[in-house]
Amino acid sequence: MLTSMVAALVMERPVVYQVDQDGLWMKVIRDLFEDFLLFFAPELHAHVDFSKSPDFLQQELFQEVADEKKGRRMADQIVKVKLTDGAEQWILVHIEVQSENEEDFAARMFKYFYRIYDTHEQKIVAFAIMTSLHKNTTSQDFRYDYFGTTLHYAYTISKIITYDKDELRRSEKLFSKIVLAAKLLHETKDEAKRRYVFKRRLMRSIVRNPEYSRTSVQAVFHFIDYLLRLPIDLEKKLANTMYSVLGKEKELMQLYDKDNASPTIVSAFERERIEGKKEERRKIALNLLKNELPIEMIMNVTELSLEEIQELQN
């Protein structure tokens, strides 16, 4: 009796997934940098020449600062772009996924700036994206004033908590869906069914929008899939739902990079492969039935069940 009760309690315990938010943000910013700028910095976006690919610089530029953070992981990007007037522009993007306020955050942002500037003497535009729903009161500027020596360094901070969910849903900007998913990460932490409904609705709306390129859709799906993890039963249910959506668009399915697709897309591809093979076996069985071969032989050749063959026979 006691063993049964313990087993029941273990089964009811929610599954805890470890989400690599830093890695996901790094990847999606790299994959969708143009969309990232369009959402968070539209004025700068208008001056960038995207006919020339952005250059993501080596992360070693952050190593000295990273060591001071005592092993804490960061999601940072330094991106070199060309402007429409031919000038070169460096863009520093820092993603902060921690929930607590940090007194030294503004000082760290200044250190990033001056170390990059001191080494490379490049103009730098700096962004900090706060992904937590914690009401972060972090300052968006660094001030130093000591016996007449003063310094003021300001940068742009965007806080996910400040964006309205309804406006994000209505927005046609692709990166609004990334921000929306980041908001729902915390809101649906202990509500698997609610998270499933949200993922299903969001994925369907994205894939049905003809304005989004297929490679961009794949990048968003990858972020959403790994950020908003689901229990296995709901993952399978979501994959079946997306198969029914994507199955109507065979050309769309073929455009996805199967080797780098999100888990939901991988499952949909597997479902498509299985269904395709099954359809081929049905065609073979029909031909064999027309030639009046024994049902047992047809079962052996096609690996279809007796019920499936009888259905075809009828």
Side-chain angles (χ1 to χ4, degrees), residues 131-155:
T131 71
S132 172
L133 295 191
H134 177 75
K135 292 185 178 179
N136 199 299
T137 57
T138 300
S139 172
Q140 64 183 75
D141 60 357
F142 173 73
R143 295 176 183 271
Y144 178 91
D145 189 350
Y146 190 70
F147 286 99
T149 299
T150 62
L151 174 71
H152 180 208
Y153 169 68
Y155 48 90

Side-chain angles (χ1 to χ4, degrees), residues 180-181 184 194-202 228:
L180 184 58
L184 267 292
R194 183 185 171 202
R195 179 174 288 189
Y196 160 76
V197 171
F198 167 75
K199 282 185 69 172
R200 181 187 64 189
R201 183 183 299 122
L202 183 59
L228 303 176

Side-chain angles (χ1 to χ4, degrees), residues 65-74 94 96 108 112:
V65 180
D67 290 342
E68 293 183 5
K69 293 186 71 181
K70 299 178 181 179
R72 274 183 50 193
R73 299 184 63 192
M74 300 184 302
H94 173 74
E96 188 77 9
R108 284 197 287 114
Y112 295 160

